[in-house]
Amino acid sequence: SGMYKFLGDTAKTLYYAKETKRAAASAGDTILQIRGLIAMVDAFLLLKNYDSALAISKTGLALAEEKQVTFAIGIFNNFIGQYHTEKTGNYSIAIAHFNTALESFQKINVQYDIALVLKNLGRAYLLKKDYSNSVKYSEQALAISQQLKLSQVQHAVLMDLVKAEDGLGNIKESHRYLLRYVAVNDSLQARNNRKTVYELEARYQNQKKEVMLLAQQKTIERKTLLNYIFAGGALLLMVIFALLYFNYRHQQKLQRQR
C-alpha cells in the first residue's frame, strides 16, 4: 500500500490498505490492527476522502491511546490535523492535533514524521495568516527534509515559505525561497520525466514479452497440431496397410482353396 501511495496509484493503494486491515483483523493483533487502520487513512487521504479518513483516525487514535502506542498516537493526530486543515478550515484545532503529533514523534525521535508534521504546522499557520509561525515551523521542516533528502517535502515547504515571507512583507526572502523552489521543482520534474520514460520502457518490454510469449504459444500450438496430424496420418496409413495386407492374405487363401 505504501509503495503504491508513493507511485500515486490510488486504486492499488486503497486495495492493499483494505487487505492489510483485513489481515490484521484476522490475526487479532492490536498493533497489526493499528497498522491496518493507518494504511486505510493514508489511502483515503490520498483519495481526498477526508470524512472516511477522519472516522478511521478517531477509531485508531482511541485504540492507540488505550495501548499507549506513541508512534500511532502521533500518526492519527497528524491525520486529524490534516482533516481540519483541508476539510473544515478550523486551523486552531488542526494546530492542536499537529502539536500533539509533534510531541509524540519527538519522544521517539522519528525525523521523517517530525518533518511532515512541521510541514503541516507551517501550512496551517500560513492558512491562518499567522505568517511568523508559518516561517518558524516551515524552516524547521525544510532543514530536516534537506538533511533527509526529502524532495517532495522541500517542494511543498519552499512554496509555503515563499507565501509566508511575502505575507510578512519580506520580498527579498520570498524571492530567495522562490528561486530554491524553482530549482527543486525542476529537479522533481526531471525525475518524474525519467520515471515516465522508465514506466513506458517497462510497459513496452512487458508488452514485447507478452507478444513473444503469445507467438511462442502459437508456434507450440501449430507444432502440436502438426504432430497430431502426422501421428493421425501415420496411424491411418498403418490401418490402410493392415487392411490391404489382410485383404491380400484373404485373396491368397481363397486361391489355395480353389
Side-chain angles (χ1 to χ4, degrees), residues 37 41-42 45 50-63 72 75-80 83:
L37 292 171
V41 179
D42 245 344
L45 285 175
Y50 297 111
D51 291 328
S52 296
L54 177 67
I56 297 171
S57 293
K58 286 181 175 178
T59 302
L61 182 57
L63 193 58
I75 288 288
F76 289 119
N77 271 291
N78 189 36
F79 286 154
I80 295 170
Y83 170 82

Side-chain angles (χ1 to χ4, degrees), residues 219-230:
T219 301
I220 292 170
E221 288 174 354
R222 281 197 296 270
K223 286 182 179 179
T224 303
L225 180 61
L226 287 172
N227 288 336
Y228 282 138
I229 291 171
F230 288 141

Side-chain angles (χ1 to χ4, degrees), residues 23-181:
S26 300
D29 186 296
T30 303
I31 302 300
L32 288 177
Q33 288 175 23
I34 289 172
R35 288 185 178 275
L37 292 171
I38 290 172
M40 286 293 293
V41 179
D42 245 344
F44 281 126
L45 285 175
L46 185 64
L47 292 164
K48 298 190 184 304
N49 187 340
Y50 297 111
D51 291 328
S52 296
L54 177 67
I56 297 171
S57 293
K58 286 181 175 178
T59 302
L61 182 57
L63 193 58
E65 288 176 338
E66 179 188 340
K67 299 296 181 180
Q68 286 298 295
V69 185
T70 305
F71 176 74
I73 291 171
I75 288 288
F76 289 119
N77 271 291
N78 189 36
F79 286 154
I80 295 170
Q82 287 177 264
Y83 170 82
H84 288 292
T85 301
E86 306 299 335
K87 179 75 175 180
T88 68
N90 195 328
Y91 305 121
S92 295
I93 293 178
I95 288 166
H97 281 287
F98 288 143
N99 279 322
T100 302
L102 184 59
E103 289 173 11
S104 297
F105 293 141
Q106 286 174 337
K107 284 180 184 176
I108 53 178
N109 194 30
V110 280
Q111 292 295 300
Y112 173 78
D113 292 284
I114 289 171
L116 292 182
V117 177
L118 289 169
K119 173 185 76 69
N120 291 337
L121 274 165
R123 175 169 170 75
Y125 276 116
L126 174 66
L127 295 172
K128 195 181 179 184
K129 301 189 186 306
D130 184 344
Y131 301 122
S132 295
N133 273 316
S134 180
V135 169
K136 172 186 172 183
Y137 288 106
S138 295
E139 285 183 338
Q140 292 178 50
L142 183 61
I144 297 173
S145 62
Q146 284 178 318
Q147 184 182 357
L148 299 179
K149 295 181 170 48
L150 305 173
S151 300
Q152 295 283 0
V153 178
Q154 292 178 52
H155 187 259
V157 170
L158 283 166
M159 180 47 67
D160 287 345
L161 282 166
V162 170
K163 295 176 180 177
E165 291 288 7
D166 183 61
L168 289 169
N170 298 329
I171 305 303
K172 185 177 179 180
E173 284 298 304
S174 178
H175 183 256
R176 184 171 66 87
Y177 282 124
L178 179 61
L179 293 177
R180 292 176 65 182
Y181 170 83

Side-chain angles (χ1 to χ4, degrees), residues 168-211:
L168 289 169
N170 298 329
I171 305 303
K172 185 177 179 180
E173 284 298 304
S174 178
H175 183 256
R176 184 171 66 87
Y177 282 124
L178 179 61
L179 293 177
R180 292 176 65 182
Y181 170 83
V182 170
V184 173
N185 187 66
D186 289 346
S187 175
L188 282 174
Q189 189 63 47
R191 187 187 306 172
N192 288 336
N193 289 339
R194 287 196 299 272
K195 177 185 169 186
T196 301
V197 170
Y198 294 150
E199 287 176 349
L200 289 172
E201 176 65 20
R203 196 179 304 166
Y204 166 74
Q205 292 297 339
N206 285 335
Q207 288 178 346
K208 184 178 176 181
K209 286 178 184 177
E210 288 176 4
V211 170

Side-chain angles (χ1 to χ4, degrees), residues 5-16:
K5 178 192 173 185
F6 176 76
L7 294 173
D9 190 329
T10 53
K12 287 185 178 178
T13 299
L14 184 58
Y15 170 78
Y16 285 108

